[in-house]
Coordinates of all heavy atoms in Angstrom, one line a residue:
R10 N -36.2 -18.4 17.8 CA -36.3 -17.0 18.0 C -36.5 -16.7 19.5 O -36.4 -15.5 19.9 CB -37.4 -16.4 17.1 CG -38.8 -16.7 17.5 CD -39.8 -16.1 16.6 NE -39.8 -16.6 15.3 CZ -40.3 -16.0 14.2 NH1 -40.8 -14.8 14.3 NH2 -40.3 -16.6 13.0
T14 N -29.8 -17.0 26.2 CA -28.4 -17.4 26.3 C -28.4 -18.8 27.0 O -27.4 -19.6 26.7 CB -27.6 -16.4 27.1 OG1 -28.2 -16.2 28.4 CG2 -27.5 -15.1 26.4
H79 N -33.9 -23.5 9.7 CA -34.6 -22.2 10.0 C -34.5 -21.2 8.9 O -34.2 -20.1 9.1 CB -34.1 -21.6 11.3 CG -34.3 -22.5 12.5 ND1 -33.5 -23.5 12.9 CD2 -35.4 -22.5 13.4 CE1 -33.9 -24.1 14.0 NE2 -35.1 -23.5 14.3
L86 N -35.4 -12.3 8.7 CA -34.4 -11.4 9.2 C -33.7 -10.6 8.1 O -32.9 -9.7 8.4 CB -33.3 -12.2 10.0 CG -33.8 -12.9 11.3 CD1 -32.7 -13.7 11.9 CD2 -34.3 -11.9 12.3
G87 N -34.0 -11.0 6.8 CA -33.4 -10.2 5.7 C -32.4 -11.0 5.0 O -31.7 -10.4 4.1
S90 N -32.1 -17.5 1.3 CA -31.8 -18.8 1.6 C -30.4 -19.2 1.2 O -29.7 -20.0 1.8 CB -32.8 -19.8 1.0 OG -32.8 -19.6 -0.4
E91 N -29.9 -18.5 0.1 CA -28.6 -18.7 -0.4 C -27.6 -18.1 0.5 O -26.6 -18.7 0.9 CB -28.4 -18.1 -1.8 CG -29.2 -18.9 -2.9 CD -29.0 -18.2 -4.2 OE1 -28.2 -17.2 -4.3 OE2 -29.5 -18.7 -5.2
S93 N -27.9 -17.7 3.7 CA -27.8 -18.3 4.9 C -26.8 -19.4 5.0 O -26.2 -19.8 6.0 CB -29.2 -19.0 5.3 OG -29.5 -20.0 4.3
S102 N -16.0 -18.3 2.0 CA -16.7 -18.7 0.8 C -16.0 -18.1 -0.4 O -16.6 -17.2 -1.1 CB -18.1 -18.2 0.9 OG -18.8 -18.7 2.1
N137 N -2.9 -6.4 5.4 CA -2.0 -5.5 6.1 C -2.6 -5.1 7.5 O -2.8 -4.0 7.8 CB -1.7 -4.2 5.3 CG -0.4 -3.6 5.9 OD1 0.3 -4.1 6.6 ND2 -0.2 -2.3 5.5
D148 N -11.1 -2.8 -9.7 CA -10.8 -2.6 -11.1 C -9.4 -2.1 -11.3 O -9.2 -1.0 -10.7 CB -11.9 -1.7 -11.7 CG -11.8 -1.6 -13.2 OD1 -10.8 -2.1 -13.8 OD2 -12.7 -1.0 -13.9
F167 N 10.9 17.2 -17.2 CA 10.9 18.6 -16.8 C 11.8 18.9 -15.7 O 12.5 20.0 -15.7 CB 9.4 19.0 -16.4 CG 9.3 20.5 -16.0 CD1 9.4 21.4 -17.0 CD2 9.0 20.9 -14.8 CE1 9.3 22.8 -16.7 CE2 8.9 22.2 -14.4 CZ 9.0 23.2 -15.4
S169 N 14.6 17.3 -15.1 CA 16.0 17.3 -15.7 C 16.3 18.6 -16.3 O 17.4 19.1 -16.2 CB 16.1 16.1 -16.7 OG 15.8 14.9 -16.0
P186 N 30.5 31.1 -0.2 CA 31.0 29.8 0.4 C 29.9 29.0 1.0 O 28.8 29.5 1.1 CB 32.0 30.3 1.4 CG 31.5 31.7 1.8 CD 30.9 32.3 0.6
D194 N 29.3 20.5 9.5 CA 30.5 21.1 10.2 C 31.0 20.1 11.2 O 32.2 20.2 11.7 CB 30.1 22.4 10.8 CG 29.7 23.5 9.8 OD1 30.1 23.3 8.7 OD2 29.1 24.5 10.2
E207 N 23.2 5.6 -3.2 CA 22.5 5.1 -4.5 C 22.4 3.5 -4.5 O 21.5 3.0 -5.0 CB 23.3 5.6 -5.7 CG 23.2 7.1 -5.8 CD 23.8 7.7 -7.1 OE1 24.6 6.9 -7.7 OE2 23.5 8.8 -7.4
L221 N 5.7 -5.2 -6.2 CA 4.8 -4.8 -7.2 C 4.4 -5.9 -8.2 O 3.2 -6.0 -8.6 CB 5.4 -3.6 -8.0 CG 4.5 -2.9 -9.0 CD1 3.3 -2.2 -8.3 CD2 5.3 -1.9 -9.8
R225 N -1.5 -8.5 -6.1 CA -2.6 -8.7 -6.9 C -3.2 -7.4 -7.5 O -3.7 -7.4 -8.6 CB -3.8 -9.4 -6.1 CG -4.9 -9.8 -6.9 CD -6.0 -10.5 -6.1 NE -7.0 -11.1 -6.9 CZ -6.9 -12.3 -7.5 NH1 -5.9 -13.0 -7.3 NH2 -7.9 -12.7 -8.2
L243 N 7.6 17.5 -9.0 CA 7.1 18.8 -9.5 C 7.3 19.9 -8.5 O 7.7 21.0 -8.9 CB 5.7 18.6 -9.9 CG 5.1 19.7 -10.8 CD1 5.9 19.8 -12.1 CD2 3.6 19.5 -11.1
G286 N 19.5 10.6 -13.0 CA 20.1 11.6 -12.1 C 21.0 11.0 -11.1 O 21.3 11.6 -10.0
T290 N 25.5 6.3 -12.8 CA 25.3 6.2 -14.2 C 26.1 7.4 -14.9 O 26.0 7.6 -16.1 CB 23.8 6.3 -14.6 OG1 23.3 7.6 -14.1 CG2 23.0 5.2 -14.0
H344 N 28.4 15.0 2.2 CA 28.3 16.5 2.1 C 27.8 16.9 0.7 O 28.2 17.9 0.1 CB 29.7 17.1 2.3 CG 30.2 17.0 3.7 ND1 31.1 17.8 4.3 CD2 29.8 16.1 4.7 CE1 31.3 17.5 5.5 NE2 30.6 16.5 5.8
Y347 N 22.7 20.0 2.1 CA 22.6 20.5 3.4 C 21.6 19.7 4.2 O 20.7 19.0 3.7 CB 22.1 22.0 3.4 CG 23.1 22.9 2.8 CD1 22.9 23.5 1.5 CD2 24.2 23.3 3.6 CE1 23.8 24.4 1.0 CE2 25.1 24.3 3.1 CZ 24.9 24.8 1.8 OH 25.8 25.6 1.3
A354 N 12.9 17.2 2.5 CA 12.5 16.1 1.5 C 11.8 15.0 2.3 O 10.8 14.5 1.8 CB 13.8 15.6 0.8
I382 N -11.5 19.9 -5.3 CA -11.0 21.1 -6.1 C -9.4 21.1 -5.9 O -8.7 21.4 -6.9 CB -11.6 22.4 -5.6 CG1 -13.1 22.4 -6.0 CG2 -10.9 23.6 -6.1 CD1 -13.9 23.5 -5.4
N395 N -12.5 1.6 -3.9 CA -13.4 1.6 -2.7 C -12.7 1.2 -1.5 O -12.6 0.0 -1.1 CB -14.6 0.8 -3.0 CG -15.7 0.9 -1.9 OD1 -15.6 1.9 -1.2 ND2 -16.6 0.0 -1.9
C403 N -0.5 -12.9 -5.8 CA -0.7 -14.0 -6.7 C 0.4 -13.9 -7.8 O 1.1 -12.9 -8.0 CB -2.1 -13.9 -7.3 SG -2.4 -12.5 -8.4
A407 N -0.5 -15.7 -16.4 CA -1.8 -16.3 -16.6 C -1.9 -17.7 -16.2 O -2.8 -18.2 -15.7 CB -2.2 -16.1 -18.0

Side-chain angles (χ1 to χ4, degrees):
R10 72 177 70 200
T14 55
H79 297 86
L86 295 176
S90 58
E91 293 180 359
S93 65
S102 303
N137 198 14
D148 190 350
F167 182 67
S169 301
D194 294 342
E207 296 186 343
L221 185 66
R225 188 177 188 84
L243 193 60
T290 60
H344 291 203
Y347 291 107
I382 293 174
N395 188 16
C403 65

